Amino acid sequence: MPRQVLVIGAGVTGLSCAIRLQEAGCIVTILAKDFPAPFPTIDPLAQINYTSPWGGAHNRWVVPSPSGENAREHAFALATFSRMRALAESEPSVGITFMKGIEYLEAPPAEYTSLTPHRAAELQLPGFRLLGKEEFPDDKITWGCEYDTWSLNPMVYCSFLLGRFTFRGGQIRKRELKDIKEVFALPLGELGFEAGRIDAVVNASGYGFGGDPNMFITKGQTCLVANECDVTVTRQNADGSWNFSVPRGFNGGTIIGGTKDVDDWNTKPSIEIREKLLAGFRATYPKILGEAGEYRVLADIVGRRPTRKGGPRIEGEVVSGGGFVMHAYGLGGRGYELSWGVAEEVVKGVDGHLKGHPKGRVASETVAKCHL
Ligand SMILES: Cc1cc2nc3c(=O)[nH]c(=O)nc-3n(C[C@H](O)[C@H](O)[C@H](O)COP(=O)(O)OP(=O)(O)OC[C@H]3O[C@@H](n4cnc5c(N)ncnc54)[C@H](O)[C@@H]3O)c2cc1C
Ligand SMILES: *[C@@H]1O[C@H](CO)[C@@H](O)[C@H](O)[C@H]1NC(C)=O
Ligand SMILES: *[C@@H]1O[C@H](CO)[C@@H](O)[C@H](O)[C@H]1NC(C)=O
Ligand SMILES: *[C@@H]1O[C@H](CO)[C@@H](O)[C@H](O)[C@H]1NC(C)=O
């Protein structure tokens, strides 16, 4: 009998895991409080904890340090990149656009200054090129590069994933839980399963449940403008602040960002910050204004990145009562760019657990190959 897996969460993490589990032959139901919907219908206050609509979302290659920090995440980003490429090529309306990414740094740390074309090739960074001084926007920038990357329209993309999931027979339940363990007590029929038992629960709840003391939020304020942008630009300033653009495509405009405020639960966007972001980005990339010569502001955005000290938690746990929970949360500011790598790890974890490996962490050679 096929395995029955319940995924909690319908952000980019839960949706990607659910599709990947279906591909591995599981019967999957997604239970969540929030589901993807057209972006203008998402409520900025009532749904502020649902991070996926508020994200950029682009892929910015984060260079692993020589000591191996970020190496696991880099492997996830590479896996995600190839699947995004295949999706963009086969599904024109998926919401993904491939483009150049540009990085400008005022005070580059060692992993950037040692990023030669040779090192970039080792890291499999596609289309990598170091920029010359004459290509920098001003003389505060001391290092720059460009590469091939993707950017997407979050609610177009997540709605596509949800559509694919249900088209393949996946069931959804729109519910709010107080505690994950509740699901083991629910009647199976209510969750869309036949008989038997729930073989695994995937915890892709973002910042939905308390319990993990390592979780915190990183507030981000960005501004959505109607101006189109042909590249995704990231500037890292010496004072630790950032200026970036994330084109959404598909009539989604462009995100101009952005702040990273740890433990800041304020829900209200600041007009002063908006003006700084817009001015800061215009100075870095004047082409953003286009023929109109000015910004057309659509909305101020506040989102909460579900961040975790020690990095994302992607591991299995047998909870009290005996149920198996495969965790997939704490993706911080990288949920989209790591999504398919995380989903692959979740399939391996579930498969490993059901084959009797402790904590479900052992990879299995029998995990079904990924089909698009
Ligand atoms: C300003 C900003 C810019 C960003 N830019 C980028 C970017 O460029 N690239 C990138 O990769 N990432 C970016 N991110 C990060 C990215 O948006 C997140 O990492 C990602 O959306 C997290 O997805 P998730 O599925 O893990 O969580 P969420 O999207 O928060 O989903 C959680 C799910 O769990 C459900 N849930 C939670 N609690 C309960 C409960 N009690 N009962 C039932 N259901 C529950 C929710 O309803 C929801 O369906 C950005 C984030 C912000 C805020
Ligand atoms: C968001 O999450 C926090 C922390 O769990 C909670 O206090 C708050 O009520 C939530 N907000 C909404 C609108 O659900
Ligand atoms: C599930 O995820 C949340 C983060 O949303 C975490 O705090 C919690 O410890 C996880 N596990 C359980 C069993 O709830
Ligand atoms: C970048 O944005 C910050 C706000 O986060 C702003 O204070 C600063 O002026 C901007 N700087 C540049 C040069 O882009």
Side-chain angles (χ1 to χ4, degrees), residues 159-178:
S159 302
F160 169 84
L161 295 183
L162 180 63
R164 170 159 287 191
F165 171 77
T166 55
F167 180 74
R168 288 177 174 173
Q171 303 259 334
I172 66 162
R173 295 292 182 270
K174 198 163 181 175
R175 303 251 201 298
E176 180 170 5
L177 298 170
K178 288 266 178 288

Side-chain angles (χ1 to χ4, degrees), residues 33 45-49 176 207-208 210 265 304:
K33 178 159 69 107
L45 286 176
Q47 293 182 289
I48 190 168
N49 290 335
E176 180 170 5
Y207 193 88
W265 290 84
R304 294 170 172 169

Side-chain angles (χ1 to χ4, degrees), residues 20 23-24 83 340 344 367-372:
R20 196 59 199 82
E23 288 167 351
R83 182 130 193 197
W340 290 113
E344 189 63 33
V367 172
K369 278 262 171 298
C370 160
H371 298 293
L372 271 167

Side-chain angles (χ1 to χ4, degrees), residues 63-67 105 107-116 119 123 143:
V63 185
S65 71
S67 60
L105 282 85
E111 55 280 17
Y112 284 93
T113 48
S114 60
L115 188 57
T116 57
R119 172 80 179 132
L123 293 168
W143 190 93

